[in-house]
Every structure is written in structure tokens, then in C-alpha cells.
Amino acid sequence: MTDPLTRLNLFFDDLNHIRIIQPELASQTSDLREECIDFTNSIESFKNIADGFINIVASLAQEVDKEKMKAIGARNLVKSMAKQREAQEQRLQALLLEKTTELERLRIQHQSLAKTESEQLEMMDRLLTLQ
Amino acid sequence: MQLKLSFPKDAEHQDTVSCVSWNNTEEVFSCGDDHVLKKWNLLTTDSQKICEFPEELNPLDFHCFSRNIGIRKTGQDQMLIASSDGKFHLLGKSGRIEKTVEAHKGAVLVGQWAPDGASFLTAGEDGQVKIWSRSGMLRTVPVHASGVPIYCACWGPDSNNFLYTQGKHLVIKSLLPNVKPNRWRAHEGLILKVAWEQINGRIVSGGEDGRYKVWDSYGSLVFNSMLHEHPITSIAWSPNGEMFAVGSFNTLRLCDKSGWSQYLDKPDTGSLYSIAWSADGTQLAAACANRKVLLAHVIGRRVEWGPLEATTTRRKTVVMSNAVHSGSDTLEFPERVIHLALAYKHLVVVTTTQCYVHNINNINTPVIIDLREGSVYMVLLAEKHMILVERSSIGVYSYDGRLISSPKWPSLNTATLNPSQISLGPDCIAARDQADEKVIQIFDINGKEIGTPLSHTTQIGEIGLSNGGSAFERLLAFVDRTRDLYIATVHPRPSTSRKIDKLGSVVQSFKWNSHLNIIAAIQDTSLTLWYYPFIIFVDKKLLRRTAVIKESSEFGHRPQVTTYVGNHVGIRRSDGALINSGVSPYLAILHGYSMSGSWKDALRLCRMVKDEALWACLAVMATQGKEIDTAESAYAAINQFDKVLYLQHIREIKLKPVQMAEMSLLGGNVQEAEALLLQNGMIFRAIMTNISTHNWERALEIATRNRTHIDTVLLYRQRFMDRLGKQEANEKFNMLRSNVEINEEQIDVKVQYELEKEKDRS
């Protein structure tokens, strides 16, 4: 059937409004539009979620890095502490050795003085018995 | 000894400090890799940037030479900086570079002024040593390139020789022509530092093998240190040569001149690249790798005298204690304490500008002497006087602070005077001449020369004056280069020269007793005491019997006598330990009796002690005191029968003067005997005394002066010559022979007559 209106590309919809597009097409188009909007919305929200995730991961990475550095620092500190202790020990050992030699010197001096004392006491004894 | 360390607080260098040097006793210069020259004032504790060097100048060695080493006085100074770009720079006081000279290929590692300041040496990585004039003109190149870098070099005591390192070797090189250098292998590792001390001539070297070693000036080893964990990076002698400082990584050590360590500190400084002492020897500065400058002063210096002891506990504090009474006195001074001396009941403290004389009975009210020049090198104490050796003069002071005299001699140079080569006795002063090492100058307390200076055949080392007895019994002891100990009389008797005789050999060190004429010496490793050294001029055979040798394993290797006060000899072992050795107290009592003339007591003492050495001493003392009976008993006790018989012969002489003269003869004093006889008009006997001692010229002199018995002398001389079968060679005798007629019979009659006359007189 050749409707002159159809030839002119004019249609009537169910509500008898004149339309320039076929009513089914029109409704399909609007459906498509709705769906497109829905789709962009969901993409948007996905992007937000993804961003959020990325941020969280990045901050986590930073945190991890920081902790890692801390751990390395602490480990080094422990290591150097051991070295420091060693150096300190060496230092104290050297000072100790110095004091020991000093003590030895004083011991020898004391010994010689004690010897002199005993000699003097002996002499006093002898003088007393002479009297 | 200890070091008290301090670090200037606010300021520091921007990079490693590589060199330090003293400007005067209160100011230190330092420079480092930050190209800045800084000045640190120790009094005000502030620092000041003097100048900034150009970028390419990295200082490696820095030496200030000051002509005028005084307190707060600065003379015409020049600073010498050796740098890594092969140049050296001469700087003025203000830090302005006055001259820069291209000196070596590679870095200049050393720049040192000669002790006299007339020249300086540089040495570098190219292995050359060059000597430059004061203005920086090249004089000589004594060491040509050997390809081994010279890390350190220094001048010898006289500016005629120097010492440098060559890998593991040390080399002493003389500037005089045709003197072979002395080269020896000193360390197992590369030698980094070496220092030569100006007074005793000792050398200290330190290297990468972590040891420091002490050498004498001939290169023989005196001390080898224990192993350090790090290389020795710096070494410096204190100006008086009594100790040296050694620096290493985080280590500063203070050592005695014989090498043993007195004090160790482990400051947090990194390596100490350079150490410098202040001119008074009480402070030191060190350049640290951690950008700091370390300053330290010496505390804990201790002097002892019998039970008394004085110690510097802080820079300006001296604590005096007595071992007999507990408790101590603390003495505070307004200025830094530089010298401390304690002897004969007086404590003498020298600060930077004043001298405090404390009598120990009244310790809190010192006599204060203002120093004339403000720098004292040495303090010597005797019973009633003391000597302060200052920069240009020697001052003799009484203990109440009066200047008595200032002895002078042409070659006197107080800065290089060796403490062991000047001695103060109760009434005289002796010092070895600095120009002629074989001569000893002798002065009385008033600065007048006593006789002519004593001259010896070889170089003289240490000297010492005895402290006991009267002025006429004063003896001078000295050790010469071959380590023989000699004694000499100080006061020459009229018309005779000084008596000098050898007491012992291989003497390492000796000391006179503080109050008596007794000498203690270390011979090899044993201690020898000569109870009465004067005996050597009387009877050499008795010398050994009055000497007591103490051998003891506790003295160890190379011991040294340091003190002899009262009845105690103090001996320092080579490891630094002090050993006290007691001496028989009877000896002091015997000396006391002989001085006061209590011969009976002396005899009783000897009978009680029954010691041969004491008897021998008494025998000679009694002979000197002309005590016939005592001398006879004493000689009998030591089995000297010939002496006893002679004494019995003397006792039979009725004439008192003759008896006295004979005693003098027995005591070895021919001159005294002769004088006694001449005084009493016994000219004939005086002549005969001289004849019998073969003192022909003197006999003739007396005879001609008195115009009598000239022919007798000639006759005896002729008989003597005939007996020997020799021709007369003496001009005087030959001349008189032709003038005087000799009639033998007549002379014999004359002699008989004189003898008769003498008999009549008695």
C-alpha cells in the first residue's frame, strides 16, 4: 500500500500525532539513548572505583616503601651498632690495657717500697735487740 | 702525666683539618682541605678566620717559625705551607701569601724550618729533599730523586743534618760534605711520621705497621711499642724533650722519652693528622679528620721529695700532700702552671708571668718573684738557692726571692740548654759549654768563675755537683761520651790544677745524694754506690772497698737513677716503673759524725756495724780530718797494715806541724803538706817533701825563693838522674848547675845539720 503520507515520509503515531520518523524507530532510538546514558553512568562509576583502588594501592605502596626503608635503616643501625660496640669495646680494651700496665708499674713500685719497709723494720729490730 | 682534652665549641673547619701550628703559647693556627686558615685563641676560646687560600691549594704541611718564642709576644714570623700542587708558600702574619715557589714534581709533603730559622727544607712525592734560604731561594738539593716519596723529614739538633723517611727506612743525612748518610730499616710498614728531638737527640718514628719506635741519634733502637690497630699518623716531641705525643685513628697517646706510655686517650676525632706542642711544653694541639681542632693541656705532673709530693691537678691548681701526715693543701694560681719543682723544703711553681716560692713549713704564704722575661725553661733547686733559666739569661735566686747573680758565658744559649748538663750545688753552678762539648764552666753562687773552665779529652754528657760537706769538699761528677764517670774537685787549691779522676765505666746514669757526698750510679744493670768518692784522690786502691754494688733482677733492662734523697735511691725501669732501693742509714750517720768531728762516735758506729766499706770510709775521713788514732783503728780494721805502720811512725813525730803535714801527705794532699811546712818555717822539710814526691821543679822553686839548699836540690836531682841513667833535660836545672857549685860532703853535712835542728825543736 502506498500511502501518500508514507511517500512523503510522514507518519502518524498511536496518539495520532504527526511524526517524521517511524514510530518504532523513534521508540527504539529513545530506548537506545536511555541505555547509552545508563552505560556511561556505569562506566563512570567503574572509573571512580578503579581510581579509588589505584589510589589506595599507591598509598599502600608508599607505606610499604617507607616501612621497608625503616626496616633497612633499623637493620643497618643494628649492624653498625654491633660495629660501634666493637669499636667501643676496642677502645675500652685499649684503655684497660693502659691501666693494667700502669697498675703493673705501681705494683712493682709498691713491692719495692714494701721491701724497703721490711728492711727498715728488720734494722729497727736489730737495733732494739742490741740495746 | 695526663692530658685534659678540649674542643673549641662553635666553630670548626668545613673539611678535614690537616695541619696545626702554634703561633705563641696562647694561639693556634690550623688549616685544612677547606682552604681556610684559622686562628684559635686559648684564653678567650674564640676562633678567627685569617684568610682563605686559592681553590687549588691543599695544605699538607704547615710550620710556623717564631724568632721570639715568648708569651703574648710575636716576632717576625713566617709561616711555611707545603701544598699538594707541588708548591710551597711563604705567608706573613696576616695570612697573605708572600711567595709561592714551584718546588717538587707531585705534592710537597714536608716543609720544615731549621732550628736556627735561617733555612728550611721541603720534601715531596718525587723523593727529593731541597733546602731553601729564608727568602725562598733554592740552596741545595741534598737528596736527589729516588722514586720513593718522602713522607716526613725533620732537622737534627744542630742545623747541619736532617732525617727523612724512605719507605720502610730512615736516613740521617748530613749537610756537611763527605759524610756518609746513616740509613737503616726501621719499620715493617711504610713510615709516615718521624720526629727528632733537639735536646737529647732522640728520634721517634711511626708508620703503617701500627708501631712507634724510639731511636737514639745513632739509629739504635731504644723502644719498640706494642701494636696499634691503626697506622700512626702523627708524632711530636715536647720542647723540653721529656715526652712525646703519638696520634692515630681515634687515639692520642702521651709517652715518656724512653718510650713507655704515660697516658692514653681515645677521643672521637678520626685520625689525628698533625700534632704540635706549645713552646712551654704544657699544651698541645692536634688536627683531626672530623673537622675539629683538638686542644689539650698536660696535667698530673708530679714531683716528689722524701715524703712530700706535689701534683698539678688542674691547669692552675697544685695539690701538695705529705705521706707522713694525712691531708693535703690545695694551691690555686691565677695563671697556668708551667713548671713545678720540689726540693730542700721548698716548692717552686712557675706560671706564665710569675714564680711562687713556697716554704713547706708555711705553705700558704709564698714569696712571689715577677719573671723578667716571662718564659722559664728550667728550674733547679739547691739547699739555699735556686736557678731559673729564662729565655736569655740564667738567674740565681735565694729562696726569699732576691736575685743573687746571673752567670754568663760566651756560648750560653738557654733555649737549647740540656737539663742534665747544668747543675746547681749548694755554693756553685756547673754547666757544660754548648759550643765546646768538652768543657764545663764552673761558677760560684755570685756568678764569679771558679778557676778556669774544666776541660776534658772527650765530649761530656751529663754533669752533677755534689750536695754535701763544705765548699772545699765540693765535687763535680760527669759522664763522658764513652760512658765513663769522672769526678773532679771544684775549688782548685792554690797553684795546682783541678784533680780529675775516673770513678767507673759503663755508667748509664748517676745521681749525687741530696745531702751527702755519696754518688749512686747505674753500671750496666746494677746499682753502684760510691760511699766516699773523694777517696779516689787519696787512695785508689781503697776505692773498690768503699763502693757497694747492688745487683737486682728487678731493675730490669736499662734502668736509670732518677732520685737519691736521704737513704733512698729511686730507679726508673725502662718500662716506666719506679723502684725504691734503700741505702744503709749508717752511712749518713758516719758522714754526719765526720763532718762534726765526732770521731769517737764514728768509731763506735763502725764497730757496731762491722762493715768493711764503712771502715774504709772512716779511715779516709779520719786521715782527711788528721785524726791519727781513729785512722789507725780504721786502717787496722780493713787490714791496711802499711798505713797503720806509717800512722804509728807519724805518731812518734814530736813536732806538731810535721805531724800534720805527714797526715796531709797520707791523705794525698802534697800541696797542703807543703803549705803547712812553709807556714811553720820548715823550708828544708818542704823541699825534701817535694824531692821525695819527685816534684823537682817545685822543690827548686822553694829553694831559690828562700835562697837555701839550692845545691841540695841539684845534688838529689843529679843522683836521681844518674840512677835512671838519663841526661838532664830541664833547662832550669841545667842553668843552675853551671852557676852553683856542688860539694857533696858539704851538702850531706848541711842535711845532717837540718835534721839535728829539727830534732832540737821538738
Side-chain angles (χ1 to χ4, degrees):
Chain A
M1 79 174 205
T2 40
D3 201 342
L5 281 174
T6 309
R7 260 183 284 141
L8 287 171
N9 274 340
L10 289 173
F11 310 91
F12 292 92
D13 67 1
D14 300 343
L15 298 173
N16 291 326
H17 289 153
I18 193 155
R19 298 280 171 187
I20 52 169
I21 307 169
Q22 277 180 19
E24 288 120 70
L25 270 177
S27 79
Q28 273 173 8
T29 313
S30 82
D31 278 357
L32 185 65
R33 187 174 148 263
E34 299 278 286
E35 269 180 36
C36 278
I37 289 172
D38 273 359
F39 180 71
T40 30
N41 277 348
S42 70
I43 287 289
E44 193 92 340
S45 81
F46 174 73
K47 189 188 163 248
N48 277 345
I49 290 167
D51 270 1
F53 181 71
I54 285 169
N55 273 343
I56 287 167
V57 167
S59 75
L60 197 67
Q62 229 168 32
E63 205 79 356
V64 164
D65 257 9
K66 217 155 93 190
E67 289 304 316
K68 210 161 118 193
M69 287 309 278
K70 257 189 195 161
I72 290 172
R75 196 185 297 159
N76 280 353
L77 210 65
V78 168
K79 233 186 243 171
S80 81
M81 187 60 92
K83 259 201 192 130
Q84 238 175 49
R85 290 270 163 212
E86 212 172 289
Q88 182 72 12
E89 193 192 324
Q90 251 176 25
R91 180 177 298 197
L92 291 174
Q93 283 290 352
L95 291 174
L96 188 70
L97 189 68
E98 188 69 16
K99 294 281 175 215
T100 318
T101 48
E102 175 76 33
L103 182 68
E104 178 62 19
R105 280 202 285 269
L106 291 173
R107 193 190 61 75
I108 291 168
Q109 186 175 3
H110 179 257
Q111 203 180 358
S112 80
L113 285 169
K115 199 174 140 201
T116 310
E117 190 189 6
S118 71
E119 275 170 17
Q120 284 180 343
L121 284 175
E122 197 182 307
M123 176 163 285
M124 270 157 74
D125 272 354
R126 213 167 51 222
L127 287 175
L128 282 174
T129 48
L130 272 177
Q131 270 184 352
Chain B
M1 295 283 181
Q2 289 177 20
L3 284 173
K4 178 106 176 84
L5 308 190
S6 64
F7 296 96
K9 277 199 192 79
D10 341 308
E12 59 179 41
H13 279 271
Q14 297 306 310
D15 208 332
T16 304
V17 186
S18 54
C19 338
V20 283
S21 189
W22 288 81
N23 180 30
N24 52 39
T25 50
E26 313 296 353
E27 279 176 354
V28 179
F29 283 126
S30 70
C31 57
D33 290 352
D34 58 352
H35 317 287
V36 172
L37 180 68
K38 278 192 179 226
K39 184 161 88 173
W40 312 83
N41 191 312
L42 273 70
L43 281 183
T44 56
T45 66
D46 56 65
S47 67
Q48 195 184 338
K49 183 171 136 186
I50 301 231
C51 68
E52 202 158 324
F53 298 134
E55 214 29 51
E56 68 278 5
L57 196 160
N58 282 309
L60 293 178
D61 198 6
F62 175 38
H63 193 196
C64 265
F65 183 80
S66 179
R67 286 196 170 277
N68 222 345
I69 317 155
I71 288 167
R72 291 182 211 108
K73 269 186 203 156
T74 45
Q76 341 145 277
D77 297 14
Q78 253 186 323
M79 294 184 260
L80 172 66
I81 290 186
S83 70
S84 58
D85 53 0
K87 294 175 184 157
F88 70 77
H89 312 268
L90 287 170
L91 274 72
K93 212 44 311 177
S94 58
R96 198 169 57 85
I97 296 180
E98 286 170 353
K99 187 157 190 171
T100 297
V101 177
E102 188 89 38
H104 291 270
K105 287 201 189 83
V108 185
L109 298 171
V110 188
Q112 288 285 317
W113 286 102
D116 60 4
S119 56
F120 61 87
L121 65 79
T122 61
E125 280 183 330
D126 56 359
Q128 284 189 321
V129 177
K130 294 183 175 177
I131 311 262
W132 308 79
S133 76
R134 195 174 159 68
S135 55
M137 302 298 284
L138 183 63
R139 278 198 182 151
T140 50
V141 184
V143 180
H144 288 286
S146 60
V148 186
I150 292 172
Y151 284 103
C152 197
C154 50
W155 288 93
D158 43 3
S159 304
N160 279 334
N161 45 14
F162 62 90
L163 171 71
Y164 63 94
T165 69
Q166 203 173 47
K168 298 171 185 175
H169 293 81
L170 286 177
V171 188
I172 295 178
K173 169 102 180 148
S174 173
L175 287 180
L176 304 173
N178 302 328
V179 181
K180 226 182 135 212
N182 181 8
R183 182 171 189 269
W184 73 96
R185 189 187 165 94
H187 282 260
E188 291 307 310
L190 194 65
I191 301 171
L192 295 178
K193 284 284 167 180
V194 65
W196 202 348
E197 184 246 321
Q198 306 290 319
I199 291 172
N200 297 313
R202 287 207 169 162
I203 296 164
V204 185
S205 60
E208 286 194 337
D209 58 353
R211 290 178 194 274
Y212 61 88
K213 299 184 182 186
V214 183
W215 313 86
D216 68 9
S217 50
Y218 305 104
S220 63
L221 186 67
V222 175
F223 181 84
N224 186 359
S225 84
M226 52 141 192
L227 191 68
H228 291 66
E229 299 112 60
H230 302 281
I232 305 295
T233 50
S234 50
I235 279 173
W237 277 101
S238 80
N240 61 8
E242 284 300 309
M243 49 195 174
F244 58 89
V246 177
S248 175
F249 177 76
N250 278 358
T251 304
L252 178 61
R253 200 183 266 283
L254 190 67
C255 301
D256 182 79
K257 64 176 173 201
S258 43
W260 54 276
S261 168
Q262 289 190 328
Y263 180 71
L264 171 73
D265 208 326
K266 289 275 192 177
D268 212 357
T269 52
S271 293
L272 300 179
Y273 285 122
S274 145
I275 298 179
W277 285 86
S278 67
D280 57 18
T282 59
Q283 305 173 93
L284 64 84
C288 313
N290 70 346
R291 307 172 181 192
K292 284 191 172 133
V293 171
L294 180 155
L295 300 170
H297 57 257
V298 176
I299 57 168
R301 260 179 304 156
R302 208 174 62 186
V303 284
E304 282 179 42
W305 182 261
L308 302 167
E309 182 181 273
T311 316
T312 52
T313 50
R314 273 183 286 160
R315 277 203 300 175
K316 300 174 183 174
T317 312
V318 174
V319 172
M320 175 94 187
S321 59
N322 190 330
V324 180
H325 325 291
S326 56
S328 57
D329 294 292
T330 306
L331 308 169
E332 296 279 350
F333 298 92
E335 285 160 317
R336 214 150 36 82
V337 174
I338 292 172
H339 286 282
L340 188 65
L342 174 67
Y344 302 103
K345 297 190 171 169
H346 287 88
L347 171 70
V348 177
V349 177
V350 177
T351 66
T352 45
T353 56
Q354 283 172 321
C355 173
Y356 297 78
V357 183
H358 299 261
N359 188 316
I360 59 148
N361 297 324
N362 194 1
I363 196 84
N364 288 316
T365 47
V367 174
I368 301 174
I369 306 170
D370 283 318
L371 298 178
R372 290 184 293 178
E373 296 173 275
S375 66
V376 171
Y377 290 123
M378 220 186 294
V379 183
L380 300 173
L381 305 185
E383 196 133 17
K384 295 195 177 68
H385 313 95
M386 62 174 187
I387 281 185
L388 297 180
V389 178
E390 295 188 65
R391 184 157 11 102
S392 63
S393 66
I394 292 177
V396 182
Y397 292 85
S398 65
Y399 283 126
D400 48 24
R402 199 163 42 85
L403 176 70
I404 298 173
S405 66
S406 28
K408 268 197 186 80
W409 57 94
S411 68
L412 174 67
N413 176 6
T414 54
T416 57
L417 200 59
N418 188 331
S420 64
Q421 290 169 353
I422 177 165
S423 179
L424 173 67
D427 41 39
C428 51
I429 303 150
R432 200 199 72 185
D433 197 283
Q434 282 156 296
D436 186 350
E437 295 184 356
K438 297 173 185 173
V439 170
I440 300 176
Q441 307 277 355
I442 304 172
F443 299 89
D444 68 7
I445 282 300
N446 299 317
K448 271 209 300 273
E449 281 186 36
I450 303 178
T452 50
L454 183 151
S455 59
H456 189 59
T457 46
T458 53
Q459 280 92 331
I460 292 167
E462 298 89 74
I463 65 171
L465 282 165
S466 71
N467 297 306
S470 68
F472 282 98
E473 293 166 49
R474 189 76 43 239
L475 294 172
L476 171 69
F478 59 88
V479 172
D480 69 6
R481 208 177 56 169
T482 51
R483 304 313 294 174
D484 289 338
L485 176 65
Y486 286 81
I487 58 167
T489 51
V490 168
H491 291 269
R493 285 166 206 277
S495 82
T496 52
S497 55
R498 274 198 189 87
K499 292 182 191 169
I500 301 178
D501 220 324
K502 182 171 139 184
L503 205 58
S505 50
V506 214
V507 170
Q508 258 92 43
S509 58
F510 73 90
K511 270 271 173 320
W512 285 99
N513 182 268
S514 56
H515 297 94
L516 303 167
N517 283 356
I518 309 173
I519 204 164
I522 295 284
Q523 281 185 298
D524 203 14
T525 57
S526 56
L527 172 69
T528 308
L529 289 157
W530 282 282
Y531 281 178
Y532 194 66
F534 187 78
I535 205 165
I536 199 164
F537 302 124
V538 180
D539 191 342
K540 271 194 195 175
K541 281 180 218 141
L542 283 180
L543 180 66
R544 290 178 124 209
R545 309 185 81 155
T546 59
V548 171
I549 297 173
K550 286 187 167 192
E551 297 236 27
S552 172
S553 57
E554 61 181 355
F555 296 156
H557 176 63
R558 282 181 197 257
Q560 243 188 337
V561 195
T562 51
T563 54
Y564 187 7
V565 181
N567 297 325
H568 300 277
V569 183
I571 294 165
R572 176 80 74 182
R573 286 178 17 153
S574 59
D575 64 358
L578 265 178
I579 289 178
N580 183 75
S581 179
V583 175
S584 157
Y586 300 124
L587 190 62
I589 302 172
L590 183 67
H591 269 269
Y593 283 150
S594 112
M595 268 186 261
S596 61
S598 326
W599 300 107
K600 279 202 180 116
D601 293 331
L603 264 178
R604 252 206 333 265
L605 177 76
C606 286
R607 284 197 182 116
M608 189 194 84
V609 182
K610 300 192 190 77
D611 182 34
E612 192 171 287
L614 278 191
W615 276 117
C617 290
L618 178 65
V620 183
M621 285 171 183
T623 317
Q624 293 298 310
K626 305 195 173 49
E627 265 292 314
I628 301 177
D629 295 338
T630 317
E632 193 184 332
S633 320
Y635 276 121
I638 51 169
N639 302 334
Q640 296 280 312
F641 306 118
D642 50 338
K643 298 276 173 28
V644 176
L645 288 175
Y646 190 68
L647 279 163
Q648 280 167 354
H649 154 75
I650 292 174
R651 191 178 303 149
E652 274 156 27
I653 299 171
K654 294 287 179 310
L655 267 171
K656 195 82 188 158
V658 180
Q659 218 176 31
M660 292 287 113
E662 291 286 334
M663 281 303 278
S664 294
L665 278 179
L666 184 64
N669 300 326
V670 182
Q671 280 81 25
E672 195 186 83
E674 180 202 289
L676 255 169
L677 291 170
L678 287 177
Q679 264 169 27
N680 287 288
M682 297 172 174
I683 294 150
F684 172 66
R685 203 171 246 280
I687 292 169
M688 289 312 278
T689 304
N690 274 315
I691 288 175
S692 54
T693 53
H694 295 244
N695 209 347
W696 298 106
E697 285 200 30
R698 180 72 188 145
L700 191 69
E701 196 186 321
I702 296 170
T704 43
R705 203 192 303 145
N706 293 295
R707 295 173 196 293
T708 141
H709 285 291
I710 299 173
D711 47 354
T712 318
V713 177
L714 289 174
L715 177 68
Y716 275 85
R717 171 76 174 180
Q718 195 186 344
R719 284 182 185 166
F720 171 68
M721 284 316 224
D722 288 347
R723 247 197 332 273
L724 288 182
K726 276 193 176 175
Q727 279 293 314
E728 179 64 71
N730 194 318
E731 281 295 314
K732 276 187 202 159
F733 284 94
N734 274 334
M735 205 172 68
L736 279 168
R737 254 319 248 304
S738 50
N739 298 344
V740 181
E741 192 185 320
I742 296 174
N743 185 334
E744 288 201 28
E745 275 171 33
Q746 215 173 335
I747 288 168
D748 283 340
V749 170
K750 230 162 71 178
V751 169
Q752 276 305 316
Y753 168 71
E754 288 280 357
L755 289 176
E756 288 295 318
K757 202 169 81 179
E758 220 170 69
K759 260 187 198 155
D760 289 348
R761 265 180 75 170
S762 59

